[in-house]
Amino acid sequence: MTKFIKKPFKSQLFLLFLLSLSLISCSNKEINDNLENQDNIENNENSNNDDNQNNNEGEESDMNINLEVNGYKFVIELLDNETANELISMLPLTIEMEDMPHEKYYYFDDTFTTNSERVNYINIGDVMLYGNSCLVIFYESFSTSYSYTRLGKIKDTTNLASFLGSDKVVVNLSK
């Protein structure tokens, strides 16, 4: 009789083990599915935030200016805001921009009107004002905790990083 009891017990134990494995597999799949869904939601939110942030200070308009660097022209589409209009009023400009990782920057002697916000993420080609006098052109995308006033975005960023280089660079801004 003990042999009879032991076999079903072993069988029951084995079945319980298989059931546990299948539940773990299902829960891992659900966890992975939930993580993928969460990533998709966050990516969509970031995309929507980028779109909303680009329009926070005014709708994009036909306020294009040229950025010429090392003989190559990029087009910057400025936002229709007070800060961008102040920049346009200073054109044409030839400035020597300093280099930092991810960006080129230039401090103006004059100050601009600002509407700074914590942007959280910078995209390649973003053009912003740091503080009230520092023009920044970003040639790489990255996360940030700094606040900026949005000015616009370079339309086509192909080869932007290679043209801006990793040293000081002279740029021409014109209408």
Side-chain angles (χ1 to χ4, degrees):
M1 177 108 174
T2 55
K3 287 185 181 181
F4 181 76
I5 293 175
K6 286 185 181 179
K7 283 188 180 181
F9 180 72
K10 286 182 183 178
S11 298
Q12 289 173 350
L13 188 57
F14 181 72
L15 288 174
L16 184 60
F17 176 74
L18 288 177
L19 180 62
S20 298
L21 283 178
S22 68
L23 288 174
I24 290 171
S25 298
C26 289
S27 64
N28 283 342
K29 182 179 180 345
E30 287 175 12
I31 290 169
N32 288 338
D33 289 346
N34 285 340
L35 289 174
E36 286 177 14
N37 287 339
Q38 185 64 31
D39 285 345
N40 289 338
I41 289 168
E42 288 174 3
N43 288 338
N44 287 338
E45 286 175 354
N46 287 341
S47 175
N48 290 339
N49 284 344
D50 289 344
D51 291 342
N52 290 340
Q53 289 171 349
N54 284 339
N55 293 323
N56 272 352
E57 296 179 19
E59 295 296 316
E60 287 186 1
S61 68
D62 196 9
M63 294 179 55
N64 293 341
I65 64 171
N66 297 309
L67 166 70
E68 186 176 344
V69 56
N70 294 325
Y72 190 82
K73 284 189 181 179
F74 295 92
V75 176
I76 301 173
E77 186 170 14
L78 294 175
L79 296 170
D80 188 6
N81 64 35
E82 191 171 354
T83 312
N85 286 321
E86 290 172 1
L87 178 63
I88 289 172
S89 72
M90 300 172 81
L91 299 179
L93 286 172
T94 299
I95 55 177
E96 184 177 55
M97 300 189 84
E98 302 285 332
D99 186 71
M100 283 185 70
H102 317 295
E103 67 190 60
K104 295 293 184 191
Y105 68 94
Y106 175 80
Y107 279 95
F108 287 96
D109 291 332
D110 297 328
T111 61
F112 291 82
T113 303
T114 62
N115 187 9
S116 63
E117 61 180 296
R118 189 168 171 197
V119 296
N120 297 321
Y121 194 79
I122 304 237
N123 290 299
I124 183 172
D126 281 347
V127 179
M128 300 191 202
L129 187 72
Y130 177 73
N132 62 4
S133 64
C134 184
L135 177 67
V136 186
I137 299 172
F138 295 95
Y139 57 84
E140 290 180 4
S141 298
F142 62 98
S143 297
T144 184
S145 60
Y146 289 100
S147 294
Y148 297 89
T149 298
R150 293 182 182 278
L151 292 173
K153 182 161 184 63
I154 295 174
K155 286 185 171 186
D156 180 2
T157 58
T158 305
N159 297 320
L160 179 63
S162 57
F163 277 102
L164 289 176
S166 59
D167 294 319
K168 292 180 183 180
V169 65
V170 175
V171 303
N172 296 308
L173 295 168
S174 61
K175 187 71 178 137

